[in-house]
């Protein structure tokens, strides 16, 4: 983890170019599109006129992209017991989170533009595979975002039972989705401030609970394993760990909106990594060490009950409110990432030009509406089905990212990298092996239904890209590549 604070952070900040023979690209100016009300920017208006994201909001946006707090980690204890849950949240970051965050820091500063990992893969493997990366990652993100209205209501239904099922639940999901989508439309500055405020509110009750639990802690309770390993639900355990410790690369799709990304992005990733890991370990230590273990109770929302036992009803209600607001923060962060990814793809000519339109607040309003529609369509799925499906799609995208990272190290060793992981080509290959093996393990534990649905989604992407090319060729929709972006294929 020390690489994040190394001298790489103080290196050159110029925008990287694959071809070192061409002059640097002009400043980011956005795509000129017809102006219709506030649905598009005028040609004279540039993206630089909008306020960029600074370090603190970026830390909390990453925090919400990845985590949002310990809400949703309860199944790790249910699946494997306290010991494996604790060990998992300590070891798993070294296998997955740190490599992914480091790669995001290097590639995100190498290509500081919206679209993130789509641009990375396109530069290494060509636009066809860049589109596939964008498709599976966007779909994975939308599936992920469909969770948060569900989790929000799950945490509230104990206090408001009417939200548990039926028309009131459906109506609440729609209202919540529309309200949070509107916040995204109003601008990243508002989303960033909201992320900071929601993050502090969500973390504080667990800080209080950790201190209050100290007199009740019994460390021997941390050593319990589910029926001496024979009763471990490995699929649930691994999917829960993976879901709660991935998506570090999602923030890359906002790189074009970050102030001084060559320094801000790596630092924000480092601080967010520390915040995420601590926000998992201490609540698990508290919950398993302070009260008697009953594994079957460790499901979504159980931290509310733990808070009531340790601190009283007031702490339980605080945790319940924090869980609800945390899901709001995760929705806002994921929606921002997904919509700016579509904007970046449109700027690269992979999607129709309409996806590159910005509102008067600088937000990609078409991408926001498109992503919100996907969330509503998928919100009927169960929690476990959503997690398993998004994890499998995400794994496919991560394999492409690892290949891209190594290929760019081999193909363009002299390209500008404002932040560079201090390893060579061999080191980059070795760094990608453990997370790749983990991907294989997770895929091996995937049930056939989820695997079939995920495979079908991948096949749709393989066919969709040539279809869009035909649409462009026929002139049915307008596609264009933004002139301010460097040519990745030079």
């Amino acid at each position: 983890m020390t690489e994040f604070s190394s001298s790489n952070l103080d290196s050159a900040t110029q925008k990287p170019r694959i071809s070192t023979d061409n002059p640097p690209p002009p400043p980011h100016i956005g795509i000129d599109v017809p102006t219709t009300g506030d649905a598009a920017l005028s040609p004279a208006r540039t993206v630089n006129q909008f306020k960029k994201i600074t370090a603190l909001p970026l830390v909390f946006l990453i925090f919400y992209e990845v985590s949002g707090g310990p809400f949703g980690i309860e199944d790790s204890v249910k699946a494997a017991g306290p010991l494996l849950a604790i060990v998992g949240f300590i070891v798993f970051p070294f296998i997955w989170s740190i490599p992914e965050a480091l790669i995001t820091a290097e590639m995100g500063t190498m290509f500081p533009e919206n679209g993130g990992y789509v641009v990375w893969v396109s530069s290494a493997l060509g636009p066809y595979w860049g589109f596939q990366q964008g498709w599976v990652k966007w779909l994975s993100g939308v599936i992920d975002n469909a969770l948060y209205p569900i989790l929000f209501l799950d945490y509230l239904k104990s206090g408001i039972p009417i939200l548990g099922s039926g028309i009131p639940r459906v109506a609440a999901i729609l209202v919540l989705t529309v309200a949070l989508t509107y916040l995204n439309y109003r601008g990243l500055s508002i989303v960033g401030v909201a992320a900071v405020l929601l993050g502090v509110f969500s973390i504080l009750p667990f800080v209080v609970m950790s201190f209050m639990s100290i007199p009740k802690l019994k460390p021997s309770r941390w050593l319990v394993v589910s029926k001496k390993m024979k009763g471990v639900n490995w699929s649930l355990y691994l999917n829960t760990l993976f879901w709660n410790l991935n998506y570090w690369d999602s923030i890359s799709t906002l790189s074009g909106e970050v102030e001084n990304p060559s320094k801000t992005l790596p630092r924000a990733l480092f601080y967010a990594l520390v915040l995420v890991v601590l926000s998992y370990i201490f609540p698990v230590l508290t919950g398993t060490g302070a009260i008697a273990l009953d594994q079957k109770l460790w499901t979504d929302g159980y931290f509310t009950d733990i808070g009531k036992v340790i601190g009283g009803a007031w702490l339980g209600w605080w945790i319940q409110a924090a869980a609800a607001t945390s899901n709001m923060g995760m929705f806002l962060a994921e929606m921002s990432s997904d919509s700016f990814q579509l904007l970046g793809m449109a700027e690269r000519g992979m999607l129709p030009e309409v996806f590159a339109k910005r509102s008067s607040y600088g937000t990609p309003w078409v991408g926001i509406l498109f992503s919100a529609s996907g969330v509503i369509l998928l919100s009927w799925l169960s929690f476990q089905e959503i997690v398993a499906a998004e994890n499998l799609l995400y794994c496919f995208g991560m394999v492409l990212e690892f290949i891209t990272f190594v290929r760019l190290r081999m193909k363009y060793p002299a390209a500008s990298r404002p932040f560079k992981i201090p390893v060579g080509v061999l080191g980059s290959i070795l760094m990608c092996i453990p997370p790749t093996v983990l991907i294989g393990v997770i895929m091996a534990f995937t049930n056939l239904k989820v695997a079939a649905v995920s495979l079908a989604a991948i096949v749709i992407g393989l066919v969709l890209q040539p279809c869009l090319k035909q649409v462009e060729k026929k002139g049915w929709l307008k596609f264009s590549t933004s002139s301010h972006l460097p040519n990745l294929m030079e």
Side-chain angles (χ1 to χ4, degrees), residues 79-80 84 225-234:
L84 287 182
V225 180
S226 183
K227 296 180 182 177
K228 297 182 179 180
M229 302 292 284
K230 294 181 181 179
V232 175
N233 184 339
W234 290 106

Side-chain angles (χ1 to χ4, degrees), residues 130-246:
F131 180 90
Q132 304 312 316
Q133 175 76 345
W135 166 250
V136 296
K137 284 301 191 80
W138 178 82
L139 191 57
S140 174
V142 170
I143 292 172
D144 183 56
N145 229 10
L147 278 172
Y148 303 131
I150 294 172
L151 288 175
F152 178 87
L153 296 179
D154 283 345
Y155 275 96
L156 291 183
K157 68 183 180 183
S158 61
I160 312 174
I162 195 174
L163 297 177
S165 61
I167 294 177
R169 183 177 179 87
V170 174
I173 289 175
L174 289 174
V175 169
L176 184 63
T177 301
V178 170
L180 295 178
T181 299
Y182 178 72
L183 280 181
N184 266 278
Y185 168 77
R186 287 300 303 271
L188 270 179
S189 58
I190 291 178
V191 171
V193 171
V196 174
L197 296 176
L198 293 172
V200 172
F201 181 76
S202 299
I203 293 170
L204 275 180
F206 291 96
V207 175
V208 173
M209 188 173 74
S210 296
F211 281 110
M212 294 185 70
S213 71
I214 293 175
K216 302 178 182 180
L217 290 177
K218 294 182 179 180
S220 60
R221 291 172 173 166
W222 297 331
L223 305 178
V224 177
V225 180
S226 183
K227 296 180 182 177
K228 297 182 179 180
M229 302 292 284
K230 294 181 181 179
V232 175
N233 184 339
W234 290 106
S235 177
L236 180 59
Y237 173 70
L238 290 173
N239 272 309
T240 301
L241 288 177
F242 190 68
W243 179 65
N244 282 285
L245 285 164
N246 64 13

Side-chain angles (χ1 to χ4, degrees), residues 7 182 345:
S7 59
Y182 178 72
M345 292 177 71

Side-chain angles (χ1 to χ4, degrees), residues 105-446:
E106 177 169 317
M107 304 291 284
T109 55
M110 188 178 179
F111 300 99
E113 63 181 80
N114 296 324
Y117 36 67
V118 177
V119 181
W120 311 346
V121 175
S122 297
S123 67
L125 306 177
Y128 178 81
W129 289 108
F131 180 90
Q132 304 312 316
Q133 175 76 345
W135 166 250
V136 296
K137 284 301 191 80
W138 178 82
L139 191 57
S140 174
V142 170
I143 292 172
D144 183 56
N145 229 10
L147 278 172
Y148 303 131
I150 294 172
L151 288 175
F152 178 87
L153 296 179
D154 283 345
Y155 275 96
L156 291 183
K157 68 183 180 183
S158 61
I160 312 174
I162 195 174
L163 297 177
S165 61
I167 294 177
R169 183 177 179 87
V170 174
I173 289 175
L174 289 174
V175 169
L176 184 63
T177 301
V178 170
L180 295 178
T181 299
Y182 178 72
L183 280 181
N184 266 278
Y185 168 77
R186 287 300 303 271
L188 270 179
S189 58
I190 291 178
V191 171
V193 171
V196 174
L197 296 176
L198 293 172
V200 172
F201 181 76
S202 299
I203 293 170
L204 275 180
F206 291 96
V207 175
V208 173
M209 188 173 74
S210 296
F211 281 110
M212 294 185 70
S213 71
I214 293 175
K216 302 178 182 180
L217 290 177
K218 294 182 179 180
S220 60
R221 291 172 173 166
W222 297 331
L223 305 178
V224 177
V225 180
S226 183
K227 296 180 182 177
K228 297 182 179 180
M229 302 292 284
K230 294 181 181 179
V232 175
N233 184 339
W234 290 106
S235 177
L236 180 59
Y237 173 70
L238 290 173
N239 272 309
T240 301
L241 288 177
F242 190 68
W243 179 65
N244 282 285
L245 285 164
N246 64 13
Y247 280 85
W248 296 96
D249 59 340
S250 293
I251 200 65
S252 68
T253 63
L254 301 171
S255 294
E257 312 300 312
V258 176
E259 184 177 288
N260 193 7
S262 62
K263 291 185 178 181
T264 304
L265 182 60
R267 287 173 176 162
L269 282 163
F270 170 73
Y271 292 124
L273 180 61
V274 173
L275 186 60
V276 166
V277 174
L278 293 180
S279 73
Y280 289 155
I281 292 175
F282 281 103
V284 172
L285 289 173
T286 298
T288 57
I291 63 176
L293 177 66
D294 188 345
Q295 279 184 241
K296 66 178 181 294
L297 296 178
W298 279 82
T299 57
D300 300 326
Y302 187 53
F303 277 119
T304 298
D305 298 327
I306 294 173
K308 291 177 181 177
V309 172
I310 292 175
W314 66 272
L315 184 56
W317 281 108
W318 189 3
I319 290 175
Q320 193 168 27
T325 55
S326 176
N327 284 288
M328 293 170 61
M330 288 187 282
F331 186 100
L332 290 171
E334 185 64 54
M335 178 70 75
S336 296
S337 175
D338 295 342
S339 58
F340 273 97
Q341 178 197 314
L342 296 181
L343 180 145
M345 292 177 71
E347 288 186 334
R348 283 288 176 187
M350 297 181 186
L351 292 176
E353 191 181 78
V354 67
F355 284 94
K357 288 188 175 183
R358 291 179 183 249
S359 70
S360 58
Y361 304 104
T363 49
W365 65 274
V366 177
I368 289 173
L369 289 178
F370 205 73
S371 298
S373 300
V375 168
I376 292 172
L377 290 173
L378 293 167
S379 60
W380 57 272
L381 294 171
S382 71
F383 179 85
Q384 286 78 14
E385 287 175 328
I386 289 176
V387 170
E390 70 161 291
N391 280 351
L392 202 58
L393 290 172
Y394 190 79
C395 285
F396 178 80
M398 287 309 303
V399 169
L400 288 179
E401 274 186 38
F402 294 149
I403 294 172
T404 292
F405 171 62
V406 174
R407 181 167 173 76
L408 287 177
R409 279 297 192 96
M410 297 173 66
K411 191 175 180 181
Y412 303 110
S416 173
R417 291 173 170 85
F419 175 92
K420 185 176 182 180
I421 306 169
V423 295
V425 173
L426 179 60
S428 65
I429 294 172
L430 294 175
M431 191 177 77
C432 292
I433 290 176
T436 303
V437 171
L438 179 63
I439 286 174
V441 172
I442 290 172
M443 294 178 69
F445 281 102
T446 303

